[in-house]
Amino acid sequence: MRVVVDLAVCQGYAQCAFLAPDAFRLNGTEGLMYQPNPSDDLCRAVLRAVAACPVQAIATDAAVPAPADAAVPAARAGDAR
Amino acid sequence: MTTSDTVKSAVSADLMRQVADAENRHDPYPIYARLREKRVNLLADGSYALGRYADVVGLLHDPRVSSDPHHASNPGSRLLVDNGPFIQRDPPDHDRLRSIATRYFGPPVSPGVVSGQEPEILSFVSDLIDALPASGEADLVDHLAYPLPVSVICGLLGVPKSDEEQFRAWTEDIVRGLDAEQQQGADDLIRQRQQAQVAMFGYVTELVQRHRAQPDGSMLSRLANDHAGQQMTDGELGATSLLLLIAGHETTVNLTANGVLTLLRNPWALDRLRADPDWVIPLVEELLRFEPPVQYLPNRVALADIDVDGTTIPKGASIVLLVAAANRDPDRFAHPDRFDPDRGDIEHVGFGSGIHYCFGAPLARIEAQASLTAFAGRLASPRLAADPPPYRPSPVLRGPLHLRVTYDKRG
Amino acid sequence: MPGRPAAQRIVVVGASLAGLWGAATLRKEGFDGVLTIIGDENDPPYDRPPLTKQVLTGWVAPDHTVLPHLEPLGDTRWLLGTPAAQLDRRAGEVVLADGTRVPYDLVLIATGVRNRPWPASDQAALSGVCGVRTREDAARLIDHLDAGVSRVVVIGAGFTGSEVASACRHRGIDVTVVEQAQAPLTGALGGVIGDVAANLHDANGVDLRCGVTVQALEGSGGTFRAAALSDGTTVDADVAVVALGGVRNTEWLADSGLASGPLGVAADAGCRAVAVNGLVTDDVFVAGDVARFAHPLFDYQFLTLEHWENAAVGAQVAARNMICAPEDRRPHACVPTFWSTQFGVNIKSVGVPSLADQIVVTQGSTEAGSFAAAYGDRDGRIVGAVTFDHGRWIDHYRGLIEQAAALPGPYDADLPDKREPARFPPHPAASYHGPTVVVTGHSPTAMDAVRQPAGRSAP
Ligand SMILES: Cc1cc2nc3c(=O)[nH]c(=O)nc-3n(C[C@H](O)[C@H](O)[C@H](O)COP(=O)(O)OP(=O)(O)OC[C@H]3O[C@@H](n4cnc5c(N)ncnc54)[C@H](O)[C@@H]3O)c2cc1C
Ligand code: HEM
Ligand code: SF4
């Protein structure tokens, strides 16, 4: 899989480095280093990191969950209450 | 101030009272929507509440906004302690203490600690489900959401299993008293909180001594015996341990409980999670947006006059940042009142933002993901016995007190 | 201009960050015509910033830097390995070096920059003389480092040179850095911050030589052996890394009739290329390091930014503007943002620090190496900011710049309220590396000065 972090947006919260330490590392207290092409066995951990990034700085081309329209039937898609 | 401004701030103050009112605990979001109409709401006690996403994020990153209650011109009933925990400190002390605490919790020094907890968390959750009746009814707050967080943080920190119960009791007293000013019988709550705090602090101090005598691999032990680099004083170590034990307890319970509740209200989501356990990843993020366990941050103080949209928040004024309102700001999120884990853009502020961004967030995520996957996967046809369920008293740390659920069969 | 037929054929020239992001945006925004991407490198688009960081330290292999396709590109034609040699605007064709002509309705120029070579070509040809721009460059440098070296000499202490020095120290390799200016990073961040950067080099065991130039690279048997410095000293080393900044890849546009040259390809704020006569074109767009665009936030001065973010965002704006209705076009007006990681410190900057003449430390402490500082122009407005390990605060400064706010004083009570000269070198040439942000003039006259002398009039 391929990953890119927008380091202009990244604020070094390290959520990625907590959840996928084999793909994301901190250099010092907030400088992020990462594997741009991590092996496929890291996929789940990386997707966890992508979701957890507080500023949504991580992008990947790995299969993303099906689009909302397919999953949320329109009739039930109102306010959850 | 003009007459019309006065009228408007009376409205704002009343709205904030409604948020605090237990009657509205099950659904404060329409009130947050009204608070969002004005960018700055002046409240009865002279503090300022903001609920728009851009303003909340902006102030969380504004160096003129302090987390230290000592700067407040009217600190209210807040506990003014010297050498308080880092959640109440500003840079440079905050940064120093947080980075020392991180040394044995996360990267760069200890990158695998939290993710390494996952197997244990999974098996703990599995045991909790095993302990439920084979069919019938169970309270999933008491029997699923509640036991995990304290156990995990005690284990990480190095609090003996035998003392967990005592910790739970102290933590309850402290958390209940945190936003006492918003509740009935505040004086009692505050007194209980202070007693629990003193007792817990004493215990932790003793524990540190024990870890010095008999070190093990736990976080507290390693911090207490760390002689490389910067160190905490014993007082700082105590305050930090207390913070870690308290901050992650009820918040995580509420995240899991809110998750169970939201899944039961949205059966399509429960089906989807059953079919695709990895879907729990965006689901938990959407929960943190949709039903954030910490609804607002009542503790900020202006260090200077701060102008927001023509209103001056004066130096020394308290600032209330309504993260739950920001998470549903239609200027930031499309269809914000819809629970939709597939929305893609879930840049919520459920864990705060800026330098005080939740320290325990990765742990909380793993815990909630494990609990919700197990709930969806192992209980057949679960149904809510009462909707809305009874809530805990706090408007800040908001979540169900009990969640009685009936189900056909435990898998 | 209503009624312009929808474009059927779009050609992107330059297959790196800006080219790929531009192509993905075209597809995302609904372009379903023929899309051709031309690139002179053989590799599919990959990311450069990791090359001097996680690649050079050895954690990531040079060929594990491929950029993701953030949008399915559909059946896109990839013409890799052959450079574009000419833009024939009259015919509406890009002409490749092998003579292939690729017709276009719209074209996106994203040919970026290449390394400024060491001026003496025989010295540059010595084995052990390297640069870092492409992944082959990185692989070659790593091969040298892996083979065991006694010392590396880095020429130029801009961001790239400093990162190379940092990676060498990380690997335990002795390194000498030679910089013509009085301190590292001065071109981009000024002398006050340069002094902080110099401390970083010192603290990490770099042999830093400032105010000195390399006169010659000496070798024996075709292999680099030593660098002779202007102060008369010699540095014995096995590897020399030339980090003298970049040269914009605009030669292929020489007779295109576009206002292009060594400073880049001029464009309006909406990324449309400007012709030599000063008129904006409607079918040629520019993005990334090669673009020199009028920035609305900075008095419409023409800026060239060698920043990842500028390439990523600029390409998206350009691509969108290429295919949207003219009235929906928007400017590429975001506040420039740059980052670098070196010696374990995360450096971020926003705005255009080099436009400033004063600086004030607003948070933290420069002694501790962890701080934020704001840059102000002559009128006392904030035009930029920099943070060292204070990245979570940078958005605050970005907001101030967007609002053209006054330069703030210190936010930390114990900091002295001291504004001092930012100490930028008088001219980029005074430092070895160009500043990260080059202000290339803001008046029509200044633009005249860099116009292609022999350009034909616009078609
Ligand atoms: C080692 C290194 C480290 C960096 N670190 C950072 C950093 O930390 N932070 C940051 O903000 N930025 C950094 N940058 C800058 C960043 O990588 C660039 O801003 C970015 O790559 C610009 O992308 P681009 O697509 O505009 O240009 P480029 O990446 O330069 O790509 C241009 C492409 O066009 C090709 N090309 C050129 N001429 C032709 C032609 N005639 N025909 C066909 N193809 C052609 C080139 O070969 C190249 O593949 C770094 C750059 C380097 C080299
Ligand atoms: C779902 C669960 C949780 C939620 C919603 C949550 C929410 C938050 C929020 C909003 C803040 C910011 C406070 C502020 O800005 O003033 C915060 C801070 C903090 N949290 Fe959490 N938290 C959770 C779990 C945890 C856990 C499990 C731990 C401990 C391991 C923890 C420890 C902390 C600490 C120490 C801080 C202070 C950080 C600082 O001041 O730098 N939290 N949390
Ligand atoms: S989680 Fe996001 S912000 Fe934090 S370090 Fe990773 S990429 Fe950066």
Side-chain angles (χ1 to χ4, degrees):
Chain A
M1 82 192 286
R2 294 161 189 179
V3 175
V4 68
V5 180
D6 186 336
L7 289 163
V9 171
C10 163
Q11 293 182 12
Y13 290 107
Q15 300 303 298
C16 52
F18 271 103
L19 296 173
D22 294 328
F24 301 87
R25 284 184 189 169
L26 282 192
N27 177 25
T29 54
E30 58 173 59
L32 181 65
M33 300 283 172
Y34 64 99
Q35 288 279 353
N37 304 158
S39 59
D40 285 339
D41 55 309
L42 296 179
C43 191
R44 182 167 192 271
V46 170
L47 288 181
R48 250 189 178 174
V50 172
C53 174
V55 290
Q56 308 276 287
I58 313 171
T60 136
D61 60 2
V64 273
D69 304 345
V72 187
R76 288 184 241 162
D79 187 346
R81 260 160 263 278
Chain B
M1 196 184 271
T2 66
T3 319
S4 90
D5 278 344
T6 317
V7 171
K8 278 195 215 141
S9 66
V11 172
S12 297
D14 188 54
L15 287 171
M16 221 35 219
R17 262 193 299 273
Q18 290 179 37
V19 168
D21 189 342
E23 286 286 292
N24 297 317
R25 191 72 70 249
H26 67 287
D27 187 13
Y29 301 104
I31 313 168
Y32 287 131
R34 294 202 51 204
L35 280 160
R36 238 177 5 238
E37 282 169 16
K38 277 209 291 176
R39 280 182 64 185
V40 186
N41 295 277
L42 175 56
L43 306 182
D45 64 353
S47 56
Y48 292 77
L50 296 91
R52 296 211 190 158
Y53 186 90
D55 291 332
V56 169
V57 172
L59 290 176
L60 284 172
H61 290 258
D62 193 320
R64 297 167 299 175
V65 175
S66 165
S67 284
D68 185 342
H70 291 88
H71 293 296
S73 46
N74 172 18
S77 66
R78 263 183 240 150
L79 204 55
L80 289 183
V81 282
D82 288 331
N83 298 318
F86 60 80
I87 197 169
Q88 293 185 2
R89 305 279 282 268
D90 292 338
D93 287 336
H94 165 273
D95 301 5
R96 175 178 58 88
L97 294 168
R98 181 166 171 149
S99 100
I100 297 173
T102 304
R103 212 183 284 156
Y104 298 116
F105 183 70
V109 179
S110 310
V113 166
V114 170
S115 55
Q117 293 291 309
E118 191 168 11
E120 245 175 86
I121 290 173
L122 288 172
S123 83
F124 192 96
V125 169
S126 174
D127 292 348
L128 289 175
I129 304 251
D130 288 343
L132 296 177
S135 69
E137 190 183 288
D139 180 348
L140 294 188
V141 170
D142 284 356
H143 298 290
L144 178 66
Y146 195 82
L148 181 65
V150 168
S151 178
V152 171
I153 192 68
C154 284
L156 256 179
L157 262 179
V159 174
K161 275 242 172 304
S162 50
D163 296 337
E164 270 180 32
E165 276 317 310
Q166 178 61 66
F167 261 86
R168 247 183 256 280
W170 282 330
T171 306
E172 294 258 299
D173 282 350
I174 293 171
V175 170
R176 232 181 298 130
L178 276 183
D179 49 4
E181 48 271 37
Q182 317 266 12
Q183 298 172 34
Q184 303 290 312
D187 292 348
D188 282 353
L189 292 175
I190 291 170
R191 196 160 16 80
Q192 279 171 20
R193 172 181 77 185
Q194 286 168 343
Q195 283 168 358
Q197 226 148 349
V198 171
M200 201 161 160
F201 193 86
Y203 173 91
V204 170
T205 313
E206 213 184 283
L207 191 61
V208 167
Q209 296 313 326
R210 255 192 281 160
H211 276 300
R212 289 232 166 89
Q214 277 180 306
D216 59 23
S218 69
M219 211 178 141
L220 201 51
S221 182
R222 297 175 73 182
L223 282 171
N225 294 296
D226 190 349
H227 303 298
Q230 280 193 313
Q231 293 162 44
M232 292 191 196
T233 64
D234 281 4
E236 290 168 343
L237 198 48
T240 302
S241 308
L242 234 63
L243 172 64
L244 295 182
L245 286 161
I246 294 164
H249 174 47
E250 200 152 306
T251 44
T252 314
V253 174
N254 288 343
L255 179 60
T256 301
N258 290 342
V260 170
L261 180 61
T262 305
L263 284 170
L264 290 172
R265 284 172 174 168
N266 295 273
W268 61 268
L270 189 55
D271 291 344
R272 171 88 184 268
L273 180 56
R274 241 179 231 135
D276 177 9
D278 279 356
W279 195 57
V280 77
I281 297 169
L283 180 116
V284 165
E285 298 308 314
E286 176 69 345
L287 272 175
L288 284 156
R289 184 193 71 84
F290 190 71
E291 292 274 26
V294 176
Q295 295 258 301
Y296 52 94
L297 305 171
N299 64 331
R300 296 305 202 268
V301 182
L303 291 177
D305 288 357
I306 299 175
D307 181 84
V308 179
D309 193 33
T311 303
T312 300
I313 302 174
K315 180 176 175 171
S318 293
I319 302 175
V320 181
L321 298 173
L322 306 169
V323 293
N327 276 346
R328 293 193 182 213
D329 184 344
D331 286 345
R332 179 61 185 80
F333 298 103
H335 53 81
D337 292 323
R338 188 197 296 174
F339 176 70
D340 176 9
D342 289 320
R343 59 176 58 246
D345 170 18
I346 319 185
E347 204 176 316
H348 62 78
V349 282
F351 283 128
S353 189
I355 59 166
H356 293 280
Y357 182 86
C358 179
F359 180 88
L363 195 58
R365 284 184 162 108
I366 292 177
E367 292 178 28
Q369 288 170 3
S371 304
L372 294 176
T373 317
F375 159 71
R378 294 195 50 196
L379 298 186
S381 318
R383 307 167 295 274
L384 262 182
D387 191 4
Y391 271 81
R392 291 174 194 279
S394 170
V396 179
L397 303 181
R398 172 180 168 271
L401 182 60
H402 297 292
L403 214 48
R404 290 199 346 268
V405 174
T406 50
Y407 49 92
D408 291 352
K409 192 167 164 284
R410 161 169 61 73
Chain C
M1 51 181 133
R4 195 173 60 145
Q8 296 301 313
R9 300 162 305 176
I10 298 184
V11 175
V12 175
V13 188
S16 181
L17 176 64
L20 182 63
W21 257 230
T25 306
L26 288 169
R27 289 303 192 209
K28 184 173 169 211
E29 298 282 327
F31 174 69
D32 58 3
V34 182
L35 181 59
T36 308
I37 302 177
I38 298 169
D40 64 355
E41 294 186 70
N42 290 308
D43 303 308
Y46 58 89
D47 207 22
R48 299 185 200 280
L51 297 179
T52 38
K53 307 178 182 80
Q54 56 267 52
V55 171
L56 215 49
T57 58
W59 186 39
V60 170
D63 58 352
H64 280 193
T65 49
V66 180
L67 283 165
H69 293 192
L70 297 182
E71 199 66 32
L73 292 182
D75 51 353
T76 294
R77 239 171 111 207
W78 290 87
L79 300 179
L80 299 182
T82 312
Q86 192 197 340
L87 180 68
D88 185 341
R89 289 170 62 216
R90 209 174 281 280
E93 290 172 343
V94 177
V95 187
L96 302 194
D98 63 8
T100 311
R101 302 182 78 90
V102 186
Y104 67 81
D105 299 319
L106 297 171
V107 61
L108 176 63
I109 297 173
T111 46
V113 304
R114 63 180 180 277
N115 276 354
R116 184 180 303 283
W118 182 248
S121 54
D122 53 330
Q123 296 172 14
L126 292 170
S127 167
V129 177
C130 303
V132 191
R133 167 73 49 184
T134 66
R135 65 193 209 187
E136 279 85 45
D137 292 342
R140 208 159 63 89
L141 177 53
I142 288 167
D143 283 346
H144 282 294
L145 300 184
D146 285 349
V149 291
S150 61
R151 177 172 293 276
V152 171
V153 60
V154 176
I155 309 168
F159 284 107
T160 303
S162 300
E163 287 179 8
V164 169
S166 166
C168 288
R169 292 305 299 138
H170 181 96
R171 298 173 71 120
I173 296 171
D174 286 338
V175 54
T176 298
V177 173
V178 184
E179 166 59 45
Q180 178 172 9
Q182 292 309 313
L185 310 185
T186 28
L189 298 175
V192 175
I193 301 304
D195 290 347
V196 181
N199 289 339
L200 265 183
H201 283 249
D202 287 346
N204 287 278
V206 174
D207 168 31
L208 177 66
R209 316 272 189 99
C210 289
V212 191
T213 58
V214 174
Q215 300 290 25
L217 301 178
E218 297 165 355
S220 66
T223 300
F224 170 71
R225 294 281 175 232
L229 309 191
S230 57
D231 61 3
T233 60
T234 300
V235 180
D236 293 332
D238 318 285
V239 172
V241 178
V242 181
L244 298 174
V247 181
R248 295 182 174 79
N249 292 316
T250 56
E251 291 79 359
W252 68 286
L253 296 167
D255 54 1
S256 64
L258 296 177
S260 71
L263 295 174
V265 183
D268 76 349
C271 309
R272 292 180 297 180
V274 174
V276 282
N277 61 4
L279 294 186
V280 160
T281 63
D282 217 30
D283 54 354
V284 184
F285 289 72
V286 200
D289 282 7
V290 78
R292 174 174 170 255
F293 66 104
H295 202 302
L297 270 182
F298 300 97
D299 286 339
Y300 301 96
Q301 301 193 66
F302 280 84
L303 305 180
T304 339
L305 307 168
E306 289 177 34
H307 298 176
W308 192 95
E309 188 76 357
N310 172 61
V313 176
Q316 293 173 56
V317 174
R320 200 178 159 279
N321 286 348
M322 286 171 94
I323 53 173
C324 70
E327 61 273 18
D328 292 336
R329 285 181 183 147
R330 58 176 185 220
H332 173 31
C334 59
V335 174
T337 304
F338 179 85
W339 82 87
S340 168
T341 299
Q342 45 187 272
F343 306 111
V345 174
N346 184 33
I347 303 176
K348 284 198 151 194
S349 93
V350 289
V352 189
S354 57
L355 286 176
D357 54 14
Q358 45 179 332
I359 186 171
V360 55
V361 177
T362 48
Q363 292 176 267
S365 114
T366 48
E367 289 75 41
S370 167
F371 64 93
Y375 293 86
D377 67 8
R378 215 168 280 115
D379 305 327
R381 303 240 154 247
I382 179 170
V383 291
V386 64
T387 59
F388 276 47
D389 278 349
H390 260 52
R392 278 169 218 173
W393 297 107
I394 201 89
D395 281 350
H396 171 71
Y397 298 93
R398 189 198 319 275
L400 293 179
I401 296 166
E402 277 167 358
Q403 297 154 27
L407 182 64
Y411 294 119
D412 287 358
D414 45 355
L415 282 173
D417 192 354
K418 190 170 140 231
R419 287 155 195 228
E420 50 187 319
R423 290 195 272 126
F424 281 96
H427 187 273
S431 90
Y432 246 162
H433 47 89
T436 310
V437 176
V438 189
V439 183
T440 57
H442 56 277
S443 64
T445 10
M447 213 175 112
D448 269 346
V450 297
R451 204 158 73 166
Q452 296 291 93
R456 20 167 216 192
S457 56

